[in-house]
Amino acid sequence: MRAVVTVLAIWAAGLGAAAQFGKISVLFGALADQYAGASPVALGLIVSIVGIVGLVFGTTAGLFVARIGPRRAIVAALAMGALMSALQSLGLSYPVMIASRVIEGVSHLAIVVVGPTLIAGLAAERFRGLAMTLWSSFFGVTYAVLALAAPPLRDAYGAAGIYLAHAGWMAGMALCLALILPRDPAAPRGAQSGVLAQHAAIYASPRVSAPALGFFCYTFLYVALLTLVPPDVPVAQRALAAAGMPLISIALSLTLGVWLLGRVSAVRVVQGGYLAAVPGIVVLALFWGQGAGMVLGALWVAAALGIVQGASFAAIPELNATSTARAQAAGAIAQLGNLGTTTGTPVLAALLTGAGPWGLALVATLACALGIGLHVVQARRRGRGA
């Protein structure tokens, strides 16, 4: 029972990390008024700079966590996040706001690296697939909760109310995890290679890098489709597509995805999810702009990619036995996941504009094939003892 409570508390900390993005999304209109002279790019930077930190320092964070210990890292990251949200409630100038968001990027990165590492070590083997899939749902759940809770909170207390609520959540989780997490093991001794050499070692390892390589293709597609599909759905079905895509993704991940993880390897589930997405991509392109058919294709693809999402995190402990290797794998997932999120939407949007729905469908299908192929290559390397 203690392990269950601890896993749920770590997942709750993940909700706070996701809200570091989500709180800005729901306040984006207010930020445009607050920073009236800022360009759209400058306003967008307030959202994206947290992810840019992960893109640049993802694997470095995994290495750092392995050195200082996951308990110290996640508690410090939550406290740092609480402090930044409290500071943001004061109505900061644009440069100070950007600085606070950079610090939040560090906080966010530490949480998303430590979270799956700790959960993989705490969960019993037969429940590990469920626990890792639960962790993978933290972004979708957070955005669903914010969609319901943030508007009334904003209307009643303004932007400061949302910032302070988030600060309270982060501070509460920092205290909770400080009390219930086990003490960190002793820091590893011996000489440490340079950061670049350690990066090279991570991506050269077919066990450490495989979850992240497969996850890149997921983030390249998923965020882009959530962004690009709903605006082109007819108005009568638009809300169904916008709300249904993330919800069906979470639901299938926590049900069918967990059931599959109890029977076949996580890598096979990732590959099966990508394969299942391809017919949905075809349906989506075939009925683009045509209501029910487009919604069916969108939900089909979202459901299949939801299975990929949970299984990608489950692959971390399946392929890596030590906490150090798991932290490195989680750091690589953070880095390549942010790379996919950053590149997917502009690439697919350009294809949709220039080549239409079938151009988007072709590249989306190639991304699925790449996700399958990368795992095939890494599995062969593992078989050769690489």
Side-chain angles (χ1 to χ4, degrees):
M1 182 57 67
R2 181 181 176 88
V4 171
V5 171
T6 306
V7 167
L8 290 175
I10 295 167
W11 178 70
L15 300 183
Q20 289 175 315
F21 281 95
K23 68 181 180 182
I24 301 299
S25 296
V26 299
L27 291 173
F28 198 73
L31 289 174
D33 294 334
Q34 181 178 347
Y35 305 115
S39 68
V41 172
L43 290 173
L45 186 62
I46 299 176
V47 179
S48 64
I49 198 165
V50 169
I52 292 171
V53 173
L55 173 60
V56 176
F57 298 109
T59 52
T60 305
L63 300 169
F64 184 69
V65 165
R67 291 186 188 182
I68 70 168
R71 179 178 178 272
R72 283 188 287 269
I74 197 168
V75 170
L78 287 162
M80 187 189 306
L83 180 60
M84 290 303 102
S85 267
L87 182 65
Q88 289 159 6
S89 72
L90 302 177
L92 306 177
S93 66
Y94 182 81
V96 179
M97 181 63 162
I98 289 295
S100 75
R101 293 291 285 165
V102 171
I103 296 171
E104 268 195 306
V106 176
S107 164
H108 177 87
L109 181 58
I111 296 167
V112 300
V113 169
V114 173
T117 305
L118 283 174
I119 288 174
L122 289 166
E125 185 173 356
R126 61 177 176 154
F127 296 121
R128 191 168 288 150
L130 172 60
M132 298 303 289
T133 302
L134 175 68
W135 168 259
S136 76
S137 71
F138 71 98
F139 253 97
V141 171
T142 298
Y143 271 78
V145 170
L146 285 174
L148 296 173
L153 184 63
R154 180 189 58 208
D155 294 342
Y157 302 103
I162 292 179
Y163 289 129
L164 290 175
H166 182 246
W169 182 274
M170 298 289 274
M173 295 318 305
L175 178 61
C176 176
L177 290 178
L179 294 174
I180 67 175
L181 283 178
R183 295 176 64 87
D184 288 321
R189 296 180 179 274
Q192 299 286 341
S193 57
V195 171
L196 290 178
Q198 293 184 45
H199 275 70
I202 286 172
Y203 286 111
S205 167
R207 292 187 175 275
V208 175
S209 65
L213 291 171
F215 194 67
F216 163 74
C217 300
Y218 160 80
T219 56
F220 179 87
L221 289 174
Y222 186 69
V223 175
L225 293 176
L226 284 180
T227 303
L228 299 174
V229 168
D232 281 359
V233 175
V235 174
Q237 293 88 18
R238 189 170 298 163
L240 174 60
M245 288 177 71
L247 291 177
I248 198 170
S249 177
I250 295 169
L252 264 290
S253 180
L254 290 171
T255 52
L256 179 59
V258 171
W259 183 83
L260 289 171
L261 287 169
R263 287 153 180 81
V264 295
S265 74
V267 169
R268 292 292 188 192
V269 176
V270 170
Q271 292 173 315
Y274 280 128
L275 187 62
V278 173
I281 292 169
V282 174
V283 171
L284 182 61
L286 189 64
F287 292 98
W288 195 274
Q290 297 182 39
M294 187 177 180
V295 171
L296 172 63
L299 295 180
W300 185 334
V301 175
L305 292 179
I307 292 173
V308 172
Q309 169 189 298
S312 294
F313 280 95
I316 294 176
E318 179 179 287
L319 297 176
N320 301 280
T322 68
S323 60
T324 297
R326 289 170 179 174
Q328 291 171 342
I333 272 191
Q335 187 168 58
L336 293 191
N338 278 297
L339 178 62
T341 301
T342 302
T343 57
T345 301
V347 169
L348 292 183
L351 283 165
L352 184 61
T353 301
W358 287 106
L360 180 149
L362 175 61
V363 172
T365 300
L366 291 175
C368 290
L370 179 62
I372 295 171
L374 287 170
H375 271 297
V376 170
V377 170
Q378 298 297 72
R380 288 178 178 173
R381 292 184 63 213
R382 291 193 296 272
R384 295 196 300 265

